[in-house]
Each structure stands twice: as C-alpha cells, then as structure tokens.
Amino acid sequence: MNFEHKPVLLNEVISGLNIKEDGIYVDGTIGGAGHSIEIAKRIKTGKLIGIDQDINAINKSKEVLKDELDKVILVQDNYRNIENILEDLNIEKVDGILLDIGVSSHQLDEGIRGFSYHKDAPLDMRMNLEQNFSAWDVVNTYSMEDLEKVIWNYGEERWAKRIAEFIVMERKKANIDTTLQLVDIIKKAIPKKFRMDSHPAQKTFQAIRIEVNDELDVLENTIPKMVRVLNKGGRLCIITFHSLEDRIVKRTFNELAKDCICPKEFPICTCDKIKEIEIITRKPIVPTKLEIDENSRARSSKLRIGMRV
C-alpha cells in the first residue's frame, strides 16, 4: 500500500490556515496525513484533530505523525459529525479546518478498494469499510433511470443514458462484480471516436463513488457547521477536485458571506441573517505548473478559503 504522495497545494493550505502555535486545528479528511504533518510541526502547545472514516487512513496517519502524536488526536468518523466529535473532546471552538475532498491517493493505490478504473478489484468504493452499501449495489440494483441520473448528475457524463442501458443489458446475463468488468461495459457504451480526452470510465467511476459515499450532500450540509465551530478569525480551507464540489463550496461560501437576504424592495432588513465569513479567495487558488508536473493529482485541484467573522 503506497501512501507516499505529495499533498496537494500544501504551501497554500499552510498559509491559508494562518497557523498559531497554541491553536486547535482540524484535518477533516486526514488521508495519508501529508497536510497534517506540516500543520502539526507548526503547533507547539495547540492540538491537531485528524478525522477520517477510513480506518486504513487513521492507521497510516499514526505512522506519519509518530513524532508529533503528543499534539494529535485521531478520530475515525465522517467529518459531517464535526460538532459531535468536538463535543466528545470537550472542545467548543477551533482555529482552523482543512477539507481535502474526494478520493485520496492511498485509496486509489489500494487496488482492492475498487476506486481505480486501472486495477481489477471488487466493485466496492466505500470510504467507510463498515458501511454495507457499495458500488456493487449501485451497479447491480439501481434502475436504468436511476443509474442514468447518478452518472449524469455526479459525473456530468454526456453518455450517461447509453452507459446505464449497457449496464442493465449486461447485468441481465450475470452480475457485474469487478471494476474492470464495469470498465469494459463503459468502453462498449461510448463510441471510440469520443474516447480521446480522458479515460472513458473516469466520469462514471467518479459518479458512482459520490453516490456510494453521499459526498456532495455531506459537503454542502457540513460547511455551515464547520464555520460555526470556528473561533473569530479562524479559517476554513477546502480543496476540491471537480466542478460539482467547487460549485457547492463557492455557493455555500457566498451564502455565508451575506449579511442580508431580504428582497431589495424591503425598506428595512427583517431576515436576521448575519454575515458569518469573509471570503479570502474571491477566485480559487490553483496549483502552479511546477506542482502539476511533479504531482499529476494536483491538476484539477482548487482551494477556497473562508474566515470566520
């Protein structure tokens, strides 16, 4: 299992978090702890809380953070439960939170997890291995209409309808059990002349993974909770890897930055809406060409930063 990947936008995240030596910071998606180790090194009397629903990530983080563990608390959970996690730790407010959204490098490298369309594995894609629902269930039990909806909505795949039809046609003969079986079906569904730009299975795999792990709903519903557990001046840094995630972060940040949502014709404000964040990044921070050359995973990454007011 290879966890040795450079963390994406590392310098930008460290700068964006504006780390104080006595601050409390949360890495909500600790993964291989690439960002966390650098955060921990900059804390002296503070704490770093590392959260991940993947037990393999928690175990790897212990290794990476072994020299900093006196400052670190690791929690196996989903970042959606941030309020309960902090309450259990008797922590009311924190000074910074990082989310690095989507599938992590170590999950892709662990072929058996079924995230990669390059490696043959059972159709799984669960980030939390204790969850029962997996990619197998999506592929083998969803109706054609629901499959099309998932692949279109979460993968923005123009061939969603055709891929859904081919999946349903193939599973009538036998269950679709492995990643490469699914890849073959997708390749048959997409005409060859339209398979030039990227791997033909990329968008469908992304869509199924998002569905299995409820990723977009979790992100959208959790951003306001995270803002509310920040101290004044605390920062929320979110790295996304595709337009669906980035749109959610941008829209939610914009909502949280408004101080009135009354119709313009109202003479006075009656909505009681208060501004909760200052948006630090009007445009998302993207990786340099050098970083992309050194780390291909960084290519589509975007970082947005909000500050609690």
Side-chain angles (χ1 to χ4, degrees):
M1 193 193 309
N2 175 20
F3 285 80
E4 308 309 321
H5 286 268
K6 290 183 176 178
V8 168
L9 294 165
L10 177 62
N11 295 334
E12 293 84 352
V13 164
I14 296 300
S15 170
L17 283 171
N18 197 24
I19 297 167
K20 301 184 292 190
E21 292 184 349
D22 61 347
I24 301 173
Y25 296 89
V26 176
D27 186 341
T29 46
I30 200 166
H35 292 103
S36 274
I37 185 65
E38 296 303 324
I39 296 168
K41 284 176 184 173
R42 289 161 173 79
I43 297 170
K44 295 288 184 280
T45 57
K47 280 284 177 202
L48 170 68
I49 300 149
I51 303 167
D52 210 294
Q53 57 188 330
D54 186 342
I55 189 61
N56 295 346
I58 294 292
N59 291 334
K60 180 59 191 178
S61 298
K62 283 178 189 167
E63 292 172 36
V64 174
L65 295 161
K66 62 182 185 295
D67 295 333
E68 310 288 344
L69 278 178
D70 58 322
K71 302 179 251 180
V72 176
I73 301 166
L74 296 173
V75 181
Q76 188 195 352
D77 204 335
N78 189 307
Y79 69 78
R80 76 197 307 168
N81 301 316
I82 182 74
E83 292 162 317
N84 293 339
I85 292 166
L86 294 180
E87 193 178 324
D88 289 345
L89 297 170
N90 291 318
I91 295 170
E92 202 174 317
K93 300 278 185 184
V94 300
D95 297 291
I97 302 172
L98 166 66
L99 290 180
D100 182 353
I101 300 299
V103 66
S104 69
S105 301
H106 80 264
Q107 286 165 334
L108 287 170
D109 289 338
E110 251 188 313
I112 198 164
R113 301 290 292 277
F115 289 106
S116 174
Y117 38 80
H118 295 298
K119 299 171 183 176
D120 203 19
L123 270 175
D124 191 337
M125 302 196 200
R126 292 170 300 159
M127 291 181 179
N128 178 1
L129 291 169
E130 293 170 12
Q131 173 182 307
N132 291 322
F133 180 67
S134 73
W136 189 96
D137 299 290
V138 175
V139 171
N140 289 284
T141 70
Y142 275 31
S143 68
M144 192 187 298
E145 293 75 19
D146 286 345
L147 274 170
E148 181 189 347
K149 202 183 296 179
V150 166
I151 297 166
W152 171 252
N153 288 345
Y154 296 159
E156 298 180 310
E157 170 58 79
R158 64 181 287 202
W159 298 99
K161 186 173 171 55
R162 198 168 145 92
I163 291 166
E165 287 169 355
F166 274 58
I167 287 171
V168 171
M169 193 166 60
E170 288 295 326
R171 77 187 188 198
K172 282 178 182 169
K173 303 173 196 170
N175 285 339
I176 302 162
D177 294 323
T178 71
T179 51
L180 292 191
Q181 275 180 278
L182 180 58
V183 169
D184 285 342
I185 294 164
I186 295 165
K187 283 180 175 174
K188 286 176 193 167
I190 300 177
K192 206 165 187 177
K193 64 180 178 182
F194 295 103
R195 291 195 232 144
M196 302 302 185
D197 294 341
S198 56
H199 193 287
Q202 181 181 342
K203 291 178 178 179
T204 301
F205 268 59
Q206 170 189 297
I208 294 169
R209 189 201 82 221
I210 287 170
E211 174 71 6
V212 168
N213 298 289
D214 195 23
E215 291 174 41
L216 299 185
D217 283 345
V218 170
L219 177 62
E220 186 158 18
N221 294 329
T222 309
I223 293 171
K225 295 180 195 173
M226 291 194 153
V227 166
R228 282 155 206 163
V229 298
L230 285 173
N231 278 316
K232 187 179 174 184
R235 303 283 185 93
L236 174 57
C237 296
I238 305 180
I239 301 172
T240 59
F241 288 89
H242 59 76
S243 58
L244 293 170
E245 297 165 340
D246 182 56
R247 253 178 261 152
I248 287 170
V249 178
K250 181 182 180 181
R251 186 175 69 241
T252 312
F253 272 19
N254 284 339
E255 286 302 311
L256 292 165
K258 287 178 185 171
D259 57 7
C260 176
I261 52 172
C262 290
K264 284 177 183 167
E265 58 271 20
F266 277 33
I268 57 165
C269 174
T270 58
C271 69
D272 293 331
K273 170 88 172 69
I274 55 165
K275 179 172 179 165
E276 296 182 67
I277 63 166
E278 192 73 55
I279 297 171
I280 303 294
T281 48
R282 276 292 153 195
K283 288 185 176 174
I285 297 170
V286 296
T288 60
K289 184 180 181 303
L290 178 64
E291 178 171 7
I292 293 168
D293 289 344
E294 291 178 353
N295 181 7
S296 60
R297 183 178 177 252
R299 184 177 294 110
S300 58
S301 62
K302 291 179 177 177
L303 169 65
R304 291 186 186 269
I305 305 167
M307 182 178 75
R308 185 75 161 111
V309 294

